[in-house]
């Protein structure tokens, strides 16, 4: 069986690293993001869409489904929109719910007929350790936590069809999203690394390897799970 993976936000950061890892494993990869990837490959395809726009997502889903037999959906795209409660707005929750949850539902519904026909599929979310709670993450934490609930529900519905659904939940990872909040190579970044039990911040390849486990067709008995890739930050630090 050939495999085709749709990766939202496959143009940079974790999504781009995962895309290249899957291409190296002979997958066809379709990136759905606002901008095309900066790298090329004969089996890499790009659909440009703003996932905050429901109609744009529906159009992108239809385009990908009509052009490819999608076996893997990795919903990686995300935004943080950090602010304290006093500055948070209900519209923040609505917007990130569309990005993190609504767009995933639209995409899966487009690809589900192919997955069910093959009796095979892999669905993954890029969640966050912030689902467990973090200051300034009202909308982000809420919608990332929603991914876990939605993934568990989908896992139960889709297990009889040979389709697994899982969440990879990274802690602080050195990406543009991270540096948009914490200045690169700053004292704040260094202090945060020291608070991680493993003593460092995560790299994109740490997260990619977790996704590759869930992508593997041989791993068919793990579903509805959340794997924290956070250097122990989801457990807590024993450092004094």
């Amino acid at each position: 069986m050939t495999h085709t993976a749709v990766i939202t936000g496959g143009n940079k950061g974790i999504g781009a690293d995962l895309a290249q890892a899957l291409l190296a494993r002979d997958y066809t990869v379709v990136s759905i993001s606002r901008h095309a990837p900066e790298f090329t490959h004969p089996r890499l395809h790009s659909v440009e869409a703003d996932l905050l726009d429901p109609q744009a997502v529906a159009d992108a889903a239809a385009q990908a489904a009509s052009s490819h037999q999608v076996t893997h959906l990795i919903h990686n795209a995300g935004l943080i929109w950090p602010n304290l409660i006093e500055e948070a707005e209900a519209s923040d929750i609505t917007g990130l719910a569309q990005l993190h949850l609504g767009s995933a539902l639209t995409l899966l519904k487009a690809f589900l007929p192919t997955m069910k026909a093959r009796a095979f599929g892999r669905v993954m979310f890029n969640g966050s350790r912030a689902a467990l709670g973090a200051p300034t993450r009202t909308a982000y934490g809420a919608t990332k936590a929603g991914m876990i609930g939605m993934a568990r529900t989908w896992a139960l519905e889709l297990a009889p069809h040979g389709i697994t659904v899982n969440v990879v939940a990274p802690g602080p990872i050195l990406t543009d999203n991270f540096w948009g909040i914490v200045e690169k190579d700053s004292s704040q970044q260094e202090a945060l690394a020291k608070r991680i039990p493993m003593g460092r911040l995560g790299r994109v390849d740490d997260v990619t390897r977790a996704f590759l486990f869930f992508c593997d067709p041989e791993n068919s008995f793990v579903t509805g799970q959340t794997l924290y890739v956070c250097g122990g930050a989801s457990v807590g630090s024993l450092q004094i």
Side-chain angles (χ1 to χ4, degrees):
M1 178 188 294
T2 59
H3 298 106
T4 297
V6 167
I7 305 176
T8 63
N11 60 318
K12 62 180 182 179
I14 293 168
D17 192 68
L18 177 58
Q20 292 176 84
L22 290 176
L23 288 166
R25 288 161 174 77
D26 295 326
Y27 282 62
T28 295
V29 174
V30 181
S31 169
I32 299 181
S33 54
R34 286 183 294 178
H35 305 289
E38 295 180 355
F39 60 98
T40 60
H41 190 282
R43 283 181 278 103
L44 174 65
H45 307 271
S46 176
V47 177
E48 294 183 32
D50 183 351
L51 300 187
L52 288 166
D53 180 346
Q55 186 57 56
V57 177
D59 293 343
Q63 180 179 340
S66 65
S67 303
H68 303 278
Q69 298 290 301
V70 177
T71 55
H72 292 59
L73 170 61
I74 301 107
H75 188 40
N76 162 76
L79 292 171
I80 296 177
W81 292 357
N83 45 36
L84 295 169
I85 294 169
E86 288 83 357
E87 286 76 46
E89 300 291 342
S91 58
D92 297 340
I93 298 172
T94 303
L96 291 189
Q98 161 56 29
L99 174 60
H100 294 153
L101 303 172
S103 62
L105 176 59
T106 299
L107 290 166
L108 179 61
K109 288 174 69 174
F111 308 143
L112 204 49
T114 292
M115 292 183 183
K116 285 186 174 181
R118 290 191 174 200
F120 172 83
R122 297 287 180 265
V123 180
M124 287 148 278
F125 287 92
N126 190 345
S128 173
R129 182 250 166 250
L132 300 176
T136 76
R137 301 293 192 271
T138 291
Y140 184 77
T143 53
K144 288 293 186 175
M147 284 181 170
I148 296 172
M150 196 157 76
R152 289 168 66 90
T153 297
W154 289 0
L156 292 173
E157 291 190 24
L158 298 178
H161 302 281
I163 301 167
T164 65
V165 186
N166 292 289
V167 180
V168 174
I173 305 295
L174 297 172
T175 63
D176 288 341
N177 264 357
F178 175 81
W179 288 313
I181 298 172
V182 176
E183 184 181 349
K184 190 172 185 178
D185 299 327
S186 64
S187 58
Q188 183 184 3
Q189 177 177 316
E190 183 179 351
L192 179 57
K194 289 179 178 178
R195 294 199 298 273
I196 301 293
M198 291 299 296
R200 70 171 176 88
L201 299 172
R203 303 182 302 265
V204 293
D205 60 297
D206 292 316
V207 184
T208 289
R209 281 189 291 274
F211 274 117
L212 290 174
F213 172 81
F214 289 129
C215 283
D216 191 336
E218 296 298 318
N219 293 328
S220 60
F221 203 57
V222 181
T223 193
Q225 303 305 304
T226 298
L227 174 58
Y228 287 95
V229 182
C230 61
S234 61
V235 180
S237 174
L238 298 179
Q239 298 177 19
I240 300 174

